[in-house]
Short mmCIF file of all heavy atoms in Angstrom, two decimals:
data_model
loop_
_atom_site.label_atom_id
_atom_site.label_comp_id
_atom_site.label_asym_id
_atom_site.label_seq_id
_atom_site.Cartn_x
_atom_site.Cartn_y
_atom_site.Cartn_z
N GLY A 1 -28.33 14.67 -13.41
CA GLY A 1 -28.96 13.95 -12.33
C GLY A 1 -28.03 13.18 -11.42
O GLY A 1 -28.46 12.59 -10.43
N GLY A 2 -26.75 13.14 -11.76
CA GLY A 2 -25.81 12.44 -10.91
C GLY A 2 -25.56 13.18 -9.61
O GLY A 2 -26.02 14.32 -9.42
N GLY A 3 -24.83 12.55 -8.70
CA GLY A 3 -24.52 13.19 -7.44
C GLY A 3 -24.10 12.18 -6.39
O GLY A 3 -23.81 11.03 -6.69
N LEU A 4 -24.08 12.66 -5.16
CA LEU A 4 -23.70 11.84 -4.01
C LEU A 4 -24.97 11.40 -3.29
O LEU A 4 -25.84 12.23 -2.97
CB LEU A 4 -22.81 12.64 -3.07
CG LEU A 4 -22.45 12.00 -1.72
CD1 LEU A 4 -21.62 10.74 -1.94
CD2 LEU A 4 -21.73 13.00 -0.85
N VAL A 5 -25.07 10.12 -3.02
CA VAL A 5 -26.24 9.58 -2.33
C VAL A 5 -25.78 8.49 -1.36
O VAL A 5 -24.78 7.82 -1.59
CB VAL A 5 -27.26 9.04 -3.35
CG1 VAL A 5 -26.69 7.88 -4.14
CG2 VAL A 5 -28.57 8.66 -2.68
N GLN A 6 -26.52 8.33 -0.28
CA GLN A 6 -26.18 7.29 0.69
C GLN A 6 -26.66 5.93 0.21
O GLN A 6 -27.60 5.84 -0.60
CB GLN A 6 -26.83 7.61 2.04
CG GLN A 6 -26.26 8.83 2.73
CD GLN A 6 -26.84 9.02 4.12
OE1 GLN A 6 -27.87 8.47 4.46
NE2 GLN A 6 -26.14 9.81 4.93
N PRO A 7 -26.03 4.87 0.67
CA PRO A 7 -26.51 3.53 0.32
C PRO A 7 -27.98 3.37 0.66
O PRO A 7 -28.44 3.82 1.71
CB PRO A 7 -25.63 2.62 1.18
CG PRO A 7 -24.38 3.39 1.37
CD PRO A 7 -24.81 4.82 1.50
N GLY A 8 -28.72 2.74 -0.26
CA GLY A 8 -30.15 2.59 -0.09
C GLY A 8 -30.96 3.73 -0.68
O GLY A 8 -32.20 3.63 -0.77
N GLY A 9 -30.29 4.78 -1.08
CA GLY A 9 -30.98 5.94 -1.64
C GLY A 9 -31.30 5.79 -3.11
O GLY A 9 -31.07 4.73 -3.72
N SER A 10 -31.85 6.87 -3.68
CA SER A 10 -32.29 6.86 -5.07
C SER A 10 -31.77 8.08 -5.82
O SER A 10 -31.54 9.14 -5.22
CB SER A 10 -33.82 6.86 -5.14
OG SER A 10 -34.36 5.70 -4.55
N LEU A 11 -31.60 7.90 -7.12
CA LEU A 11 -31.29 9.00 -8.03
C LEU A 11 -32.00 8.74 -9.34
O LEU A 11 -32.24 7.57 -9.69
CB LEU A 11 -29.78 9.09 -8.29
CG LEU A 11 -28.87 9.71 -7.25
CD1 LEU A 11 -27.42 9.56 -7.69
CD2 LEU A 11 -29.20 11.17 -7.01
N ARG A 12 -32.30 9.81 -10.06
CA ARG A 12 -32.81 9.65 -11.42
C ARG A 12 -31.91 10.41 -12.39
O ARG A 12 -31.73 11.62 -12.26
CB ARG A 12 -34.24 10.15 -11.55
CG ARG A 12 -34.83 9.79 -12.92
CD ARG A 12 -36.28 10.17 -13.08
NE ARG A 12 -36.47 11.56 -13.43
CZ ARG A 12 -37.51 12.03 -14.12
NH1 ARG A 12 -38.47 11.18 -14.51
NH2 ARG A 12 -37.61 13.31 -14.39
N LEU A 13 -31.35 9.68 -13.33
CA LEU A 13 -30.53 10.28 -14.37
C LEU A 13 -31.39 10.60 -15.59
O LEU A 13 -32.34 9.87 -15.90
CB LEU A 13 -29.40 9.32 -14.79
CG LEU A 13 -28.48 8.82 -13.68
CD1 LEU A 13 -27.38 7.94 -14.30
CD2 LEU A 13 -27.89 9.95 -12.89
N SER A 14 -31.03 11.69 -16.26
CA SER A 14 -31.70 12.07 -17.49
C SER A 14 -30.68 12.22 -18.61
O SER A 14 -29.54 12.60 -18.35
CB SER A 14 -32.45 13.40 -17.32
OG SER A 14 -33.45 13.30 -16.34
N CYS A 15 -31.11 11.92 -19.82
CA CYS A 15 -30.26 12.10 -20.99
C CYS A 15 -31.09 12.82 -22.04
O CYS A 15 -32.05 12.24 -22.58
CB CYS A 15 -29.78 10.76 -21.51
SG CYS A 15 -28.93 10.85 -23.11
N ALA A 16 -30.72 14.04 -22.33
CA ALA A 16 -31.44 14.84 -23.33
C ALA A 16 -30.69 14.79 -24.65
O ALA A 16 -29.48 15.02 -24.68
CB ALA A 16 -31.58 16.27 -22.84
N ALA A 17 -31.41 14.49 -25.72
CA ALA A 17 -30.80 14.40 -27.04
C ALA A 17 -31.13 15.65 -27.85
O ALA A 17 -32.21 16.23 -27.70
CB ALA A 17 -31.29 13.16 -27.77
N SER A 18 -30.23 16.01 -28.71
CA SER A 18 -30.36 17.27 -29.45
C SER A 18 -31.15 17.16 -30.74
O SER A 18 -31.51 18.16 -31.32
CB SER A 18 -28.98 17.83 -29.77
OG SER A 18 -28.28 16.95 -30.62
N ARG A 19 -31.39 15.96 -31.20
CA ARG A 19 -32.06 15.84 -32.49
C ARG A 19 -33.23 14.88 -32.45
O ARG A 19 -33.30 14.00 -31.61
CB ARG A 19 -31.06 15.39 -33.57
CG ARG A 19 -30.04 16.43 -33.94
CD ARG A 19 -29.16 15.95 -35.07
NE ARG A 19 -29.93 15.61 -36.26
CZ ARG A 19 -29.39 15.15 -37.37
NH1 ARG A 19 -28.08 14.96 -37.45
NH2 ARG A 19 -30.13 14.85 -38.42
N SER A 20 -34.12 15.02 -33.40
CA SER A 20 -35.36 14.24 -33.39
C SER A 20 -35.14 12.78 -33.75
O SER A 20 -36.06 12.00 -33.65
CB SER A 20 -36.37 14.86 -34.34
OG SER A 20 -35.86 14.89 -35.66
N ILE A 21 -33.92 12.38 -34.17
CA ILE A 21 -33.69 10.96 -34.46
C ILE A 21 -33.76 10.14 -33.20
O ILE A 21 -33.73 8.92 -33.23
CB ILE A 21 -32.32 10.71 -35.13
CG1 ILE A 21 -31.19 11.11 -34.19
CG2 ILE A 21 -32.23 11.44 -36.45
CD1 ILE A 21 -29.84 10.65 -34.68
N PHE A 22 -33.84 10.81 -32.06
CA PHE A 22 -33.94 10.12 -30.78
C PHE A 22 -34.99 9.02 -30.84
O PHE A 22 -34.75 7.91 -30.38
CB PHE A 22 -34.26 11.13 -29.68
CG PHE A 22 -34.50 10.52 -28.34
CD1 PHE A 22 -33.44 10.26 -27.49
CD2 PHE A 22 -35.78 10.18 -27.91
CE1 PHE A 22 -33.65 9.69 -26.24
CE2 PHE A 22 -36.00 9.62 -26.68
CZ PHE A 22 -34.94 9.37 -25.84
N SER A 23 -36.15 9.34 -31.39
CA SER A 23 -37.26 8.39 -31.38
C SER A 23 -36.94 7.14 -32.21
O SER A 23 -37.55 6.10 -32.01
CB SER A 23 -38.53 9.04 -31.90
OG SER A 23 -38.38 9.41 -33.25
N MET A 24 -35.99 7.23 -33.13
CA MET A 24 -35.63 6.09 -33.97
C MET A 24 -34.42 5.34 -33.44
O MET A 24 -34.03 4.33 -34.00
CB MET A 24 -35.35 6.59 -35.40
CG MET A 24 -36.56 7.20 -36.06
SD MET A 24 -36.19 7.81 -37.71
CE MET A 24 -35.39 9.36 -37.32
N SER A 25 -33.83 5.85 -32.38
CA SER A 25 -32.58 5.30 -31.87
C SER A 25 -32.82 4.29 -30.77
O SER A 25 -33.72 4.45 -29.93
CB SER A 25 -31.69 6.41 -31.32
OG SER A 25 -31.39 7.36 -32.32
N ASN A 26 -31.98 3.26 -30.75
CA ASN A 26 -31.87 2.41 -29.57
C ASN A 26 -30.97 3.15 -28.58
O ASN A 26 -29.95 3.71 -28.97
CB ASN A 26 -31.29 1.05 -29.93
CG ASN A 26 -32.23 0.26 -30.81
OD1 ASN A 26 -33.45 0.36 -30.70
ND2 ASN A 26 -31.68 -0.55 -31.69
#
């Protein structure tokens, strides 16, 4: 989700985890 954006713009980053411990993780 990263990239180049102008000041005032928006981006949304995503982080995908490979294992189900995700739900137990901070």
